[in-house]
Amino acid sequence: MAMRNGILLVVSGPSGSGKTTLCRRLAADQAVHYSISCTTRQPRPGEVADLDYHFLSREAFAARVAAGDFLEHALVHGNHYGTLRGEVLAHLAAGTDVVMDIDVQGAAQVRACADPAIQLARVDLFVMPPSEAELQARLTGRGTDSAETIALRMANAIEEMRHWPSYTYRLLSGTHEADYARIRALLTAEQLRVSRLRC
Ligand code: 5GP
């Protein structure tokens, strides 16, 4: 049986686009590894350290930046976020597909990354909310963030949405089930790519 190199599915989209739920479901159903990011953000109620994020102090995060440990990192909504290079490369080398839920700055860094293993693996997808009104409703309906945070996320979302043309794929969000069917179809097609097969 042919083995293949893992896929690095990079998913971006504004908060409230539903991308995190899609990525998490893909990981739960499809034997895809969900890349756990590092962040300096405080945990939200219910979030579990090392399952949702590796929660780091600003000092610890800066030390990992200085050590060159991040495949990409960015300041998003006032907090630092980053993906550990070693974790991603180990999964790809083992033939495991990896899904990364990262912002547009991080996706641009992955796109520009010189590592051939990353470029062979990389596929990027932008999840677009159906409208500004629907995005506002989704951000408010979450009930976990303050009005100030929601306003900041809304402003950032509008800026982030300008970047969708840099991505290979764009998904205009509808119902969760319809979105999930499409992201699964994308993964299935990428799993058939000859370029990642090891004969
Ligand atoms: P949240 O704080 O709501 O979990 O995430 C806020 C934003 O940070 C989201 O757009 C999410 O995609 C992004 N994000 C999460 N992890 C990373 C990461 O490792 N790198 C980058 N660049 N963005 C991330």
Side-chain angles (χ1 to χ4, degrees):
M1 202 177 78
M3 290 276 294
R4 63 175 178 82
N5 290 85
I7 296 161
L8 181 59
L9 178 57
V10 178
V11 182
S12 302
S15 313
S17 61
K19 67 182 189 306
T20 305
T21 314
L22 288 172
C23 293
R24 287 282 182 188
R25 186 169 167 193
L26 205 58
D29 292 356
Q30 303 288 312
V32 174
H33 173 74
Y34 183 95
S35 164
I36 313 235
S37 299
C38 297
T39 183
T40 60
R41 162 168 85 59
Q42 290 299 307
R44 295 197 183 107
E47 282 185 330
V48 179
D50 304 326
L51 256 183
D52 292 294
Y53 281 103
H54 303 301
F55 295 102
L56 300 184
S57 66
R58 284 187 173 252
E59 294 71 27
F61 193 97
R64 300 214 76 158
V65 172
D69 290 346
F70 289 120
L71 169 60
E72 61 73 37
H73 64 94
L75 186 65
V76 188
H77 312 315
N79 294 300
H80 297 276
Y81 293 83
T83 306
L84 293 171
R85 183 193 310 274
E87 287 189 8
V88 169
L89 287 176
H91 281 102
L92 296 179
T96 304
D97 299 330
V98 176
V99 62
M100 283 170 75
D101 166 1
I102 63 171
D103 89 314
V104 294
Q105 305 169 75
Q109 291 170 37
V110 177
R111 213 173 283 131
C113 174
D115 186 332
I118 295 294
Q119 291 311 327
L120 177 65
R122 187 183 62 80
V123 180
D124 56 19
L125 167 72
F126 193 90
V127 181
M128 191 93 170
S131 65
E132 280 185 30
E134 173 63 21
L135 180 63
Q136 178 87 49
R138 289 184 187 183
L139 288 178
T140 310
R142 249 193 338 201
T144 50
D145 299 311
S146 67
E148 193 190 4
T149 302
I150 292 169
L152 177 65
R153 283 175 183 237
M154 194 68 203
N156 286 344
I158 290 164
E159 160 57 25
E160 254 191 307
M161 282 192 278
R162 293 179 40 243
H163 294 268
W164 72 263
S166 308
Y167 288 71
T168 307
Y169 295 97
R170 186 197 70 164
L171 191 162
L172 192 57
S173 176
T175 66
H176 174 73
E177 288 307 320
D179 293 354
Y180 188 61
R182 286 185 290 170
I183 199 169
R184 271 193 68 167
L186 168 56
L187 184 70
T188 303
E190 289 293 329
Q191 286 169 340
L192 304 179
R193 255 187 206 266
V194 168
S195 59
R196 295 197 197 93
L197 297 181
R198 299 178 204 145
C199 298

